[in-house]
């Protein structure tokens, strides 16, 4: 059944509370999904039964994230708790992995803090958990599980809430580490580069961006920063000069023309077309300010669990290929909305019903 009215959603929340206990903990990022989930749970149960928990990742958390989530909690009367977990570096050591990071760092941290209370996630029909049809699973509850993005926006409008963007992309929140497109074998070098660069980009471009991020790529011995800002502004070149002054950044590329990325991948990704499709169409293209083309190579490094962007260069033949590029881009847009990677998949902690 698809829940189409606020009353139906609120009734479902109450039913879950009756079965599993009416004290909920919301894994709260400050984005539209977790915000809508928090507002619905508070409406159904009362704010005294809803606690927001925001996981802090040290240098990989945007500084404005703490202010945005604090301002929301204060304005709307929610209890807010910050908890820390710096284990991302262990996961990224073998290559980028937002899903594993979110499951084993973010959601697991919230579940440990919840101590048996229901953990509410913003998962919805646009992600892989939502597509399973499950709303309550392994300690977590997705009240938005049947809803799409437009329905979630309508809920926020009904409550009169506007989302403050934490950064980098118009449709998604996240930590800075998602922009490190290589293994983090040396946190003080690789990790610090993405942390510094993605804090600086929002200093130069705090608002009005469709895209604002700095991707860190290159071989392990060299950090190459790719500045992505859309719409393009000439201040990008000032940012480039400042980035060059940091010793952990070896080279800077301004994304002001189409680019080709050279990517090596674990055989489990390289040999599966669906996996490569997701990485290119679902992860990379939406976060680059210019058209990109990916050249894939199978990795010989058995320590690389996911993928590694090792090189970037100008896409000099783009003009001859752009018609095909945009035809494919349009064709894939509907597909991407249905296979988007979930950053909120359930973990393995069981919920014990209170009855």
């Amino acid at each position: 059944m698809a829940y189409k009215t606020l009353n139906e959603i609120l009734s479902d929340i109450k039913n879950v509370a009756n079965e599993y206990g009416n004290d909920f903990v919301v894994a709260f990022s400050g984005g539209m999904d977790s915000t809508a989930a928090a507002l619905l749970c508070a409406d159904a149960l009362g704010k005294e039964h809803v606690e927001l928990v925001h996981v802090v990742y040290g240098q990989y958390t945007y500084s404005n994230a703490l202010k945005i989530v604090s301002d929301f909690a204060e304005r709307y009367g929610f209890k807010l708790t910050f908890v820390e977990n710096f284990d991302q570096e262990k996961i990224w050591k073998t290559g980028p992995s937002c899903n594993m990071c979110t499951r084993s760092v973010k959601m697991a941290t919230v579940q440990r803090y919840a101590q048996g209370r229901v953990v509410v996630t913003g998962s919805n029909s646009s992600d892989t958990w939502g597509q399973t049809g499950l709303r309550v699973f392994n300690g977590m509850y997705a009240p938005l599980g049947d809803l799409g993005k437009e329905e979630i926006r309508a809920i926020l409008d009904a409550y009169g809430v506007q989302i403050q963007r934490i950064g980098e992309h118009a449709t998604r929140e996240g930590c800075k580490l998602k922009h490190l497109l290589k293994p983090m074998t040396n946190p003080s070098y690789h990790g610090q580069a993405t942390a510094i660069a993605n804090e600086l980009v929002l200093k130069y471009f705090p608002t009005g961006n469709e895209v604002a991020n700095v991707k860190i790529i290159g071989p392990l011995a060299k950090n190459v920063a790719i500045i992505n800002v859309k719409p393009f502004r000439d201040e990008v070149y000032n940012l480039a000069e400042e980035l060059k002054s940091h010793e952990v950044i070896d080279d800077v590329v301004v994304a002001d023309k189409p680019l080709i990325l050279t990517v090596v991948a674990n055989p489990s990704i390289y040999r599966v077309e669906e996996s490569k499709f997701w990485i290119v169409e679902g992860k990379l293209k939406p976060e680059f300010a210019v058209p990109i083309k990916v050249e894939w190579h199978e990795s010989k490094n058995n320590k690389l669990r996911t993928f590694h962007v090792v090189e970037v260069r100008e896409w000099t033949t783009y003009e001859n290929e752009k018609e095909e590029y945009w035809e494919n881009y349009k064709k894939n847009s509907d597909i991407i909305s249905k296979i988007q990677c979930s950053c909120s998949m359930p973990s393995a902690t069981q919920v014990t019903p209170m009855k």
Side-chain angles (χ1 to χ4, degrees):
M1 173 182 178
Y3 296 100
K4 297 182 180 179
T5 70
L6 277 176
N7 286 338
E8 288 173 318
I9 301 170
L10 296 174
S11 177
D12 186 67
I13 293 171
K14 291 174 183 177
N15 290 337
V16 171
N18 286 336
E19 183 172 0
Y20 295 103
N22 66 347
D23 286 323
F24 283 9
V25 172
V26 179
F28 190 71
S29 70
M32 62 179 287
D33 301 333
S34 62
T35 299
L39 292 166
L40 289 165
C41 291
D43 196 354
L45 307 177
K47 291 176 184 173
E48 68 273 18
H49 294 291
V50 179
E51 181 177 1
L52 311 183
V53 175
H54 183 84
V55 181
V56 179
Y57 309 110
Q59 66 176 338
Y60 308 120
T61 292
Y62 287 94
S63 60
N64 64 345
L66 305 181
K67 183 178 187 303
I68 287 172
V69 298
S70 296
D71 287 349
F72 173 84
E74 182 176 355
R75 180 174 182 180
Y76 294 99
F78 283 92
K79 178 182 178 182
L80 169 66
T81 301
F82 292 103
V83 293
E84 294 183 337
N85 191 318
F86 305 146
D87 288 344
Q88 290 173 301
E89 294 175 349
K90 299 177 183 177
I91 294 170
W92 234 257
K93 187 174 182 179
T94 54
S97 184
C98 286
N99 277 4
M100 179 177 290
C101 193
T102 302
R103 288 196 297 269
S104 61
V105 178
K106 177 183 176 181
M107 301 312 297
T109 300
V110 176
Q111 284 192 304
R112 285 194 296 271
Y113 174 82
Q115 294 185 330
R117 290 175 288 173
V118 174
V119 172
V120 176
T121 172
S123 289
N124 53 78
S125 65
S126 71
D127 61 46
T128 48
W129 182 6
Q131 290 167 34
T132 68
L134 298 171
R135 294 191 319 284
V136 180
F137 184 79
N138 283 351
M140 297 166 63
Y141 170 43
L144 310 178
D146 300 319
L147 306 183
K149 291 295 186 181
E150 292 304 315
E151 293 169 292
I152 295 170
R153 289 189 185 94
I155 289 171
L156 294 172
D157 290 342
Y159 285 110
V161 174
Q162 289 189 330
I163 300 300
Q164 288 184 269
R165 288 183 56 203
I166 289 175
E168 93 254 8
H169 195 273
T171 58
R172 55 180 79 184
E173 306 295 332
C175 73
K176 301 174 194 174
L177 198 56
K178 66 184 288 187
H179 302 300
L180 180 62
L181 303 182
K182 61 196 294 187
M184 182 163 46
T185 58
N186 184 349
S188 64
Y189 176 57
H190 304 123
Q192 192 173 3
T194 195
I196 290 172
N198 283 288
E199 195 67 38
L200 276 177
V201 73
L202 293 184
K203 183 187 84 170
Y204 278 86
F205 307 101
T207 60
N209 311 303
E210 182 180 339
V211 174
N213 65 65
V214 180
K215 302 296 185 186
I216 303 297
I217 70 153
L220 293 179
K222 182 179 181 181
N223 283 334
V224 178
I226 306 176
I227 304 175
N228 295 283
V229 176
K230 185 179 179 182
F232 189 84
R233 307 176 207 176
D234 287 339
E235 293 87 346
V236 167
Y237 299 111
N238 297 330
L239 170 59
E241 289 304 312
E242 183 166 355
L243 286 175
K244 290 176 184 177
S245 70
H246 288 276
E247 62 180 3
V248 294
I249 295 176
D250 303 293
D251 196 8
V252 178
V253 174
V254 174
D256 56 2
K257 57 182 68 68
L259 300 172
I260 293 179
L261 304 179
T262 302
V263 182
V264 297
N266 179 285
S268 64
I269 291 175
Y270 178 80
R271 300 176 187 180
V272 179
E273 291 303 317
E274 292 84 354
S275 297
K276 292 190 290 186
F277 180 88
W278 156 247
I279 290 172
V280 175
E281 304 291 340
K283 178 176 176 60
L284 296 178
K285 284 186 178 180
E287 296 181 4
F288 272 79
V290 295
I292 63 167
K293 180 179 180 179
V294 173
E295 294 181 348
W296 289 96
H297 299 275
E298 187 169 357
S299 175
K300 301 290 193 290
N301 178 5
N302 58 14
K303 294 182 179 179
L304 179 64
R305 185 173 46 82
T306 56
F307 68 96
H308 178 178
V309 181
V310 295
E311 185 180 76
V312 61
R313 68 182 189 274
E314 182 182 353
W315 184 356
T316 56
T317 59
Y318 170 73
E319 287 299 319
N320 297 329
E321 302 174 44
K322 67 179 181 181
E323 185 174 343
E324 180 182 2
Y325 173 87
W326 288 110
E327 284 180 0
N328 288 334
Y329 188 91
K330 183 177 180 180
K331 179 182 68 175
N332 292 333
S333 60
D334 288 339
I335 300 174
I336 290 302
S337 67
K338 297 175 183 178
I339 66 167
Q340 283 187 347
C341 175
S342 171
C343 283
S344 307
M345 284 295 288
S347 60
T349 304
Q350 296 290 339
V351 160
T352 303
M354 298 302 291
K355 283 188 172 183

